[in-house]
């Protein structure tokens, strides 16, 4: 089996997790900027974090021959403070040319507040001005449908944004169609309890097909499983999916989306 982990918060994981992922067939990991397990007190905390994402994590992954990529932003959970968000937004361009940076993300909404929307709009503007790919986080549970609609409308209102260069993550049964119908890519997050369990994710694939869809573990500070993708592949196998059809979802699809940024490359010979 081979797969791409397109959304893993590796700063929250141990080095043993990298080893397990590579052993299971992981050929690249991508890490969107997110919460650090605590609210950072200043923009300097984000500068250090962006260095961690662009210098230290790629080096930690490289010990196992695993290419590590990242996305940059101030995440919605910390963007209620518009002053702090402005300072972080002005830092991001310094890092965009670094070799493992794929785009702006994971931006989006958490509680669907006015300030979060303001900061989301500024990130979308930054991505449009600098030609970056976009990765979007959608809110959890009862806020998800409303938040997804707000995000899709905001993106559609900006004529500079090409829908196929935006992936909307954490879709579920009630949001996947909305996202695909707008021409975006959609991500399913495989959590043991909330978001999508492996069985629900395979149901969604069975119902909607596998075009413009990927799966990720989003392994982070909460209960989450770094090997969720290969474990879900076993569930697909159990249900009669062919090896080629599984490979399409867990390997070819992420490569197709991510390769829109030419900096996304697998190791030679893989
Ligand atoms: Zn995430």
């Amino acid at each position: 089996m081979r797969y791409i982990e397109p959304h893993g918060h590796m700063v929250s994981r141990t080095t043993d997790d990298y080893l397990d992922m590579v052993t299971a067939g992981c050929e690249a990991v991508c890490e969107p900027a997110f919460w650090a397990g605590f609210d950072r007190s200043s923009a300097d905390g984000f500068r250090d974090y962006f260095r961690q994402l662009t210098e230290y994590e790629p080096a930690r992954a490289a010990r196992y021959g695993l290419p590590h990529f990242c996305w940059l932003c101030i995440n919605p959970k910390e963007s209620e403070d518009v002053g702090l968000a402005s300072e972080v937004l002005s830092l991001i361009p310094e890092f965009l040319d670094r070799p493992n940076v794929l785009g702006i993300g994971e931006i989006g909404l958490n509680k669907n507040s006015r300030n979060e929307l303001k900061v989301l709009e500024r990130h979308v503007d930054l991505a449009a001005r600098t030609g970056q790919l976009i990765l979007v986080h959608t809110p959890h549970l009862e806020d998800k449908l409303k938040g997804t609609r707000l995000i899709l409308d905001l993106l559609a209102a900006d004529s500079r944004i090409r829908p196929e260069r935006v992936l909307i993550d954490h879709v579920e049964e009630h949001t996947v169609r909305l996202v695909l119908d707008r021409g975006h890519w959609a991500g399913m997050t495989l959590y043991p309890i909330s978001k999508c369990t492996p069985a629900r994710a395979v149901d969604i694939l069975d119902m909607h097909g596998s075009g413009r869809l990927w799966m990720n573990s989003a392994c982070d500070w909460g209960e989450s499983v770094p090997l969720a993708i290969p474990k879900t592949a076993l569930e697909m196998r159990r249900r009669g999916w062919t090896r080629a059809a599984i490979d399409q979802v867990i390997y070819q699809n992420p490569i197709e989306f991510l390769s829109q940024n030419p900096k996304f490359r697998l190791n030679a010979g893989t």
Side-chain angles (χ1 to χ4, degrees), residues 36-164:
F38 60 93
D39 289 344
R40 281 158 281 217
S41 57
S42 71
D44 283 340
F46 281 86
R47 184 188 293 280
D48 288 343
Y49 178 52
F50 294 159
R51 288 192 61 202
Q52 189 177 15
L53 293 179
T54 57
E55 297 172 29
Y56 307 117
E57 282 309 312
R60 198 156 71 113
R63 287 173 54 196
Y64 304 98
L66 183 67
H68 174 286
F69 300 92
C70 70
W71 301 75
L72 302 178
C73 74
I74 175 168
N75 65 91
K77 206 170 156 71
E78 285 175 276
S79 61
E80 194 54 49
D81 180 344
V82 179
L84 174 63
S86 295
E87 285 183 58
V88 177
L89 273 152
S90 64
L91 271 181
I92 293 171
E94 295 174 33
F95 290 87
L96 286 177
D97 287 338
R98 293 200 171 189
N100 75 328
V101 175
L102 295 178
I104 301 295
E106 58 185 302
I107 55 174
L109 298 173
N110 184 41
K111 302 254 186 259
N112 298 336
S113 75
R114 290 169 79 100
N115 283 352
E116 286 174 14
L117 266 168
K118 240 185 252 174
V119 173
L120 170 61
E121 199 167 15
R122 293 191 52 191
H123 277 107
V124 170
D125 174 65
L126 173 62
R129 282 188 285 111
T130 54
Q132 298 292 325
L133 295 173
I134 295 177
L135 180 64
V136 180
H137 164 98
T138 50
H140 298 223
L141 305 173
E142 67 271 15
D143 293 324
K144 184 176 291 291
L145 182 60
K146 183 181 173 210
T148 301
R149 287 204 173 113
L150 286 168
I151 290 163
L152 292 175
D153 288 347
L154 189 148
L155 289 165
D158 191 328
S159 60
R160 298 169 298 174
I161 299 297
R162 286 169 37 205
E164 71 278 12

Side-chain angles (χ1 to χ4, degrees), residues 133-246:
L133 295 173
I134 295 177
L135 180 64
V136 180
H137 164 98
T138 50
H140 298 223
L141 305 173
E142 67 271 15
D143 293 324
K144 184 176 291 291
L145 182 60
K146 183 181 173 210
T148 301
R149 287 204 173 113
L150 286 168
I151 290 163
L152 292 175
D153 288 347
L154 189 148
L155 289 165
D158 191 328
S159 60
R160 298 169 298 174
I161 299 297
R162 286 169 37 205
E164 71 278 12
R165 290 175 59 81
V166 180
L167 185 131
I168 310 284
D169 220 330
H170 319 317
V171 300
E172 292 178 23
E173 292 84 347
H174 59 312
T175 57
V176 61
R177 200 67 257 160
L178 291 176
V179 169
L180 293 175
D181 285 350
R182 296 281 185 110
H184 300 300
W185 283 71
M188 294 183 290
T189 296
L190 305 163
Y191 271 179
I193 306 163
S194 64
K195 298 186 178 162
C196 277
T197 59
R200 281 172 60 200
V202 185
D203 287 345
I204 290 173
L205 287 166
D206 280 336
M207 288 185 63
H208 297 277
S210 49
R212 279 186 286 122
L213 265 166
W214 81 22
M215 300 192 291
N216 57 67
S217 77
C219 51
D220 55 26
W221 304 99
E223 281 181 45
S224 50
V225 180
L227 295 183
I229 295 173
K231 287 180 178 178
T232 303
L234 294 179
E235 169 73 8
M236 295 164 89
R237 195 86 188 122
R238 195 181 64 75
R239 294 204 199 179
W241 282 61
T242 63
R243 282 184 196 283
I246 295 170

